[in-house]
Amino acid sequence: METPSAGNVKFFSGESIPLELHRVRMVQKLNLWSIEHRLKSIQEAGFNSFLLSSRDVFLDMLTDSGTNAMSDKQTASMLEADDSYAGSQSFCRMEDSIREVFGKQLVLPVHQGRAAEHIISQVFIKKGDVVPMNYHFTTSKAHIELAGGKVLEIFTDEALNIASNCPFKGNIDLQKLEKVIADYGADRVAYIRMEASTNLIGGQPFSLENLKEVRKLASRHNIMIVMDASLIGENAYFIKRREAGYQNTSIKEILLEMCDLADIVYFSSRKVSSSRGGGIIMNRRDLFDRMRDLVPLFEGFLTYGGMSVREIEAMAVGLMETLDESVISQSPSFVEYAVNQLAARGIPVVTPAGALGCHVDAKGFLSHVPQAQYSAGALVAAFYLVSGCRGMERGTISTDRDENGNDVLADMELMRLAFPRRVFTLSQAMFVVDRLTWLYKNRELVGGLQFKEEPKVLRFFMGRLEPVSDWPVRLMQRFRAELGSEF
Ligand SMILES: *Cc1c(COP(=O)(O)O)cnc(C)c1O
C-alpha cells in the first residue's frame, strides 16, 4: 500500500532543515515589544518567566504542556462530545484509543499528569519507601515526597554529560538499580519509575533494551514498573531512529512494546495527545481497584476525571495521531535543527538533541555566574530581554531547598526552550538561534539573581527574584548601542 512521507524529507542542497508536513489554518497574532517594554515586564514578573503575562511574550517556549497545536480532526471531534456525567460516550471513545495505542485495558481519567502522580503516590508509597528512577520530574518528586517516599536517581554516567553522542541518555543504570534493591530490600521499593524522554536532563530517551532489562530485574524481585508516558511518542520515535533493530518497526508496535513492559502507565495528555487532561492505565484489575476510589474523591466521576468532555474527545483523536510519524517527528526535528545550529556556533547546548525543547547549558553559557546565583534563571531572564522569547529555568531554582533550608545545587543548570508540537515555523526557530547567538557574544554582561519571595514547595512556579546588580539595564544599553532601534 502506498503511504505519504512520514517526515525527514531531504533537501537537495544537503542542508538539514525540518519540513512542516501540515498547513496553518488558524493563527494567533503575536507581539514583539521593544526591549524597554520587556525590561519592565521581566522586572514586574520578579525575573521569573512563569510570572510573565503572555501578552508580553513573543515566542512562548515555556513548555509544551497544553500548548500544542490541535489538528482539524481534533477540533472537529470536540463538537461531538457527550456531556453525560456518567457513562459518557466521549470517555468510551478515549478508552478505545488508549486500548489501541497503549494496549492497556483499564483506564482511570485524571485532570492532568500530576493528578496521576498524586493518586499513584498516595496508593503505593508508604513512609520510608524509596522510588528508584532514571531521573526525577518536578511534580513527580513533590508527590512522592508528600506521600513519605524518597526519590533515588540512578541514571548512567553519560546522562549528565552536556555534549554527548550517547543515543539513550535516559537509560537506568542497571547495576546501580540492583544495588538499590539489595541495599533497601525489595519491600521498601514502592515501584521503579521510568520516565519516557527524561524531561529535566534534556528530553533524553531510554532504549527498549534498557526497559526490557529493568523489567527482568523488577519481575525477579516482584517490584512494579510505573512508566511516566507524558513524552512517550517522542521516546518511541527516537527508538525507531536510534535503536538497532527498530528501523522497520512502526511507532505503534514500539509504543505497544514499551507499555507492555510496565505495570502502570500514566500520562499528561497536555503533552502526549496535544489536548488537556491525563490518565492512569493498566491491565491488572487489583491495581485498578486500589486506585479507583480516589478518582471521584480528587478528580471527578470515573468517566471524566476532572476533564471537560470536549478535551476527552480531542485526546481520543490526538492519541491516535501520535501513531503517525509525520506528526510525532515534528517537534524533535525542530529541536534537532535548533540544537545543531547552536552547537555549530559553539553555544553550549545539550546533545544529542532530545524531545520537547532545546536545552541550553547555563553553566557553560554563563560560566562567570555562580550556580548559587541561579545561572539558568539569569539566562532565561536575559534571553527574554533580548528576544521576547520565554524559556523555562530547569536548574537550581526548580530544585527546592533541603530539610535544613539549604539550597540544593541542581545536577544540570539548563534553560529549556520548548518547541510545542506543530506551533512554530522555521523562521521563528532561526530567530531564536540568532538572538541567542547575540546574547552569547555579550554574555559577560549577564549577572546572577537572588530570591525576594520564596515559596517552600515548587518555588519555581511562583517565586520572585531580583538581579544582584543592574546587569539587565546594562544588557539593554548594549542591545540599543549595537542594534539601534531594533526590536
Ligand atoms: C509535564 C509532565 C508531567 C506533569 O504533567 P502535567 O499535566 O503538567 O501535570 C509529569 N511528567 C512529565 C515527564 C512531564 O513532562
Side-chain angles (χ1 to χ4, degrees), residues 428-442:
Q428 290 171 334
M430 289 163 87
F431 176 82
V432 168
V433 170
D434 188 63
R435 290 291 161 113
L436 207 47
T437 307
W438 186 87
L439 184 63
Y440 190 60
K441 288 202 188 99
N442 293 282

Side-chain angles (χ1 to χ4, degrees), residues 65 112-114 117 137 139-140 193 195 199 228 230-231 266 268 270-271 277:
S65 180
Q112 65 183 99
R114 69 201 66 182
E117 290 168 339
F137 183 70
T139 54
S140 348
R193 177 174 172 277
E195 183 181 312
N199 192 327
D228 181 341
S230 303
L231 302 173
Y266 74 88
S268 163
R270 300 176 64 81
K271 292 148 188 182

Side-chain angles (χ1 to χ4, degrees), residues 67 73 129 152 188 209 254 327 335 380 392:
T67 59
K73 295 200 168 52
D129 279 355
L152 300 176
R188 281 182 62 200
E209 185 192 1
I254 296 173
V327 173
V335 173
V380 170
M392 189 192 288

Side-chain angles (χ1 to χ4, degrees), residues 9-76:
V9 178
K10 281 201 176 53
F11 279 68
F12 294 142
S13 68
E15 283 174 281
S16 179
I17 296 174
L19 183 65
E20 296 87 346
L21 287 170
H22 50 261
R23 64 173 164 177
V24 178
R25 293 178 62 204
M26 192 186 282
V27 294
Q28 179 182 359
K29 185 182 151 40
L30 297 174
N31 302 315
L32 178 55
W33 299 102
S34 69
I35 191 168
E36 287 78 11
H37 181 102
R38 298 195 295 256
L39 178 62
K40 224 163 68 219
S41 304
I42 196 73
Q43 284 166 339
E44 281 166 13
F47 288 83
N48 179 350
S49 62
F50 275 97
L51 302 182
L52 284 166
S53 164
S54 70
R55 79 178 282 281
D56 298 321
V57 172
F58 177 45
L59 303 180
D60 199 345
M61 310 182 86
L62 185 76
T63 176
D64 64 332
S65 180
T67 59
N68 303 293
M70 283 208 276
S71 68
D72 47 0
K73 295 200 168 52
Q74 283 184 287
T75 313

Side-chain angles (χ1 to χ4, degrees), residues 52 95 136 168 212 284 324 338 380 390 409 419 421:
L52 284 166
E95 274 186 320
H136 81 278
F168 294 109
K212 282 182 197 160
R284 277 173 56 185
D324 181 341
V380 170
R390 156 157 79 171
L409 299 184
F419 280 91
R421 296 162 185 82

Side-chain angles (χ1 to χ4, degrees), residues 347-358:
I347 296 170
V349 62
V350 172
T351 59
L356 203 175
C358 148

Side-chain angles (χ1 to χ4, degrees), residues 3 25 31 49 57 71 176 216 221 287 453 473:
T3 50
R25 293 178 62 204
N31 302 315
S49 62
V57 172
S71 68
K176 288 185 208 158
K216 278 188 212 155
H221 295 279
L287 302 178
E453 270 175 56
V473 176

Side-chain angles (χ1 to χ4, degrees), residues 155-166:
F155 44 81
T156 62
D157 294 342
E158 208 42 61
L160 304 185
N161 271 350
I162 300 287
S164 161
N165 50 22
C166 170

